[in-house]
Amino acid sequence: MQIFTCPFCGPRDESEFHFGGEAGNTRPDGADVPAERWARYLYMRANPKGATSEVWVHMTCGEFFIMERDSVGHKVAASHPLGGAEKSE
Amino acid sequence: MRNLAEKWSPAPDWRTATLQTPGLVIRSLTGFTQYLVSGDLAAWSRRTDMDAAAVGALSVAQGERYALRVARDRILAVSETPFGIEPGWRASGFAVSTFDAGLHMIEIEGPDMSSLFARATTLDPAGETASAALLFAGANVLCYRHGHADRLRLHVDRALAPYLWKWLEQAIVA
């Protein structure tokens, strides 16, 4: 079991959270987006070894947030709300 | 054709359902008015004189009318008597939805409440947290203390209430 920190609720059990993808993978917009850009958005991931920034959702309160963690050691460095200034170390 | 009704135990009669041990009394609560309020909670607070901060998990709610924090922009207002406000969208920036039928209420009271809470969740029984929403015995509930430290109230999706009752029956004898 691991404890994650929801920026709104605080520390909670990992079973209350769901992975939402790598942070920064924004959906392309517009009619003339090339196929390569769509492919990069849909299929290509950086999958870094070590420090990573990911979108997670706290299922019980519905908070979407960014979690910075280490993909090797699983240590969570910080979590902060999407688009917000609040930060929970 | 198999009779699948035999596979499940019938749901208890919620009007009278009670579980009791020397250190615990567990009751089903009925007749409460529950409103889900979403949006500008400060505007809701000004309209109703209720505290927009609301209580989170393990905080102590007082009185017959109080509010639970569900999310950053959402609360559940609970009252033993009807609210003087109509459900619907308000131009001041919040929406009110009647939620009486959506959530069933269960009350757990007694000195053994903390140890039962510790079995059901991973939250520190001595701590508090902003939102009242958490996993309790695997079910998504709103959880808080009411009146005093040894009385816990749960609001659970009505469809999951028979499961949670069964879990409580088994947890208090185990």
Side-chain angles (χ1 to χ4, degrees):
Chain A
M1 187 186 79
Q2 191 173 10
I3 298 296
F4 290 160
T5 300
C6 167
F8 181 62
C9 301
R12 295 289 187 95
D13 180 51
E14 64 173 308
S15 59
E16 294 188 359
F17 296 82
H18 198 276
F19 179 65
E22 288 180 356
N25 184 31
T26 52
R27 190 179 192 277
D29 194 17
D32 53 352
V33 177
E36 292 76 17
R37 176 69 185 92
W38 275 114
R40 200 160 65 244
Y41 166 70
L42 289 170
Y43 303 117
M44 305 306 286
R45 298 292 174 267
N47 195 24
K49 183 178 182 182
T52 180
S53 183
E54 299 165 334
V55 176
W56 285 75
V57 58
H58 187 204
M59 303 294 283
T60 58
C61 80
E63 178 92 354
F64 281 83
F65 63 99
I66 301 287
M67 182 153 65
E68 293 167 20
R69 68 183 191 98
D70 190 295
S71 61
V72 179
H74 294 180
K75 181 175 168 42
V76 176
S79 57
H80 39 97
L82 278 174
E86 295 171 54
K87 196 161 186 173
S88 181
E89 299 295 335
Chain B
M1 188 175 167
R2 288 177 62 202
N3 181 6
L4 292 176
E6 293 174 355
K7 206 172 159 184
W8 312 105
S9 49
D13 180 352
W14 293 123
R15 293 165 301 179
T16 56
T18 307
L19 301 172
Q20 200 153 356
T21 68
L24 276 177
V25 180
I26 304 176
R27 319 176 187 89
S28 163
L29 299 179
T30 57
F32 282 72
T33 298
Q34 301 177 66
Y35 277 176
L36 193 66
V37 182
S38 309
D40 186 345
L41 301 182
W44 153 266
S45 181
R46 286 192 297 274
R47 170 71 176 76
T48 61
D49 288 334
M50 290 184 76
D51 183 9
V55 299
L58 293 174
S59 300
V60 181
Q62 299 287 356
E64 65 168 34
R65 182 171 288 193
Y66 50 88
L68 314 175
R69 196 63 178 255
V70 180
R72 199 179 283 278
D73 59 354
R74 180 166 283 178
I75 58 173
L76 184 79
V78 183
S79 177
E80 293 179 21
T81 55
F83 286 98
I85 184 168
E86 286 295 312
W89 169 252
R90 292 291 182 287
S92 52
F94 65 91
V96 179
S97 309
T98 309
F99 230 63
D100 305 2
L103 299 173
H104 184 79
M105 291 175 65
I106 294 172
E107 186 172 82
I108 303 169
E109 185 171 11
D112 292 348
M113 186 276 287
S114 288
S115 60
L116 181 68
F117 181 85
R119 283 193 69 181
T121 78
T122 53
L123 213 59
D124 177 4
E128 293 185 3
T129 172
S131 166
L134 52 81
L135 284 182
F136 187 100
N140 201 347
V141 307
L142 298 175
C143 171
Y144 57 100
R145 292 183 168 107
H146 184 264
H148 57 83
D150 284 342
R151 184 195 287 156
L152 193 74
R153 281 186 178 176
L154 308 174
H155 297 240
V156 62
D157 282 358
R158 195 164 292 279
L160 294 177
Y163 151 72
L164 189 57
W165 194 261
K166 190 80 180 170
W167 186 92
L168 290 166
E169 280 179 340
Q170 294 176 353
I172 60 174
V173 296

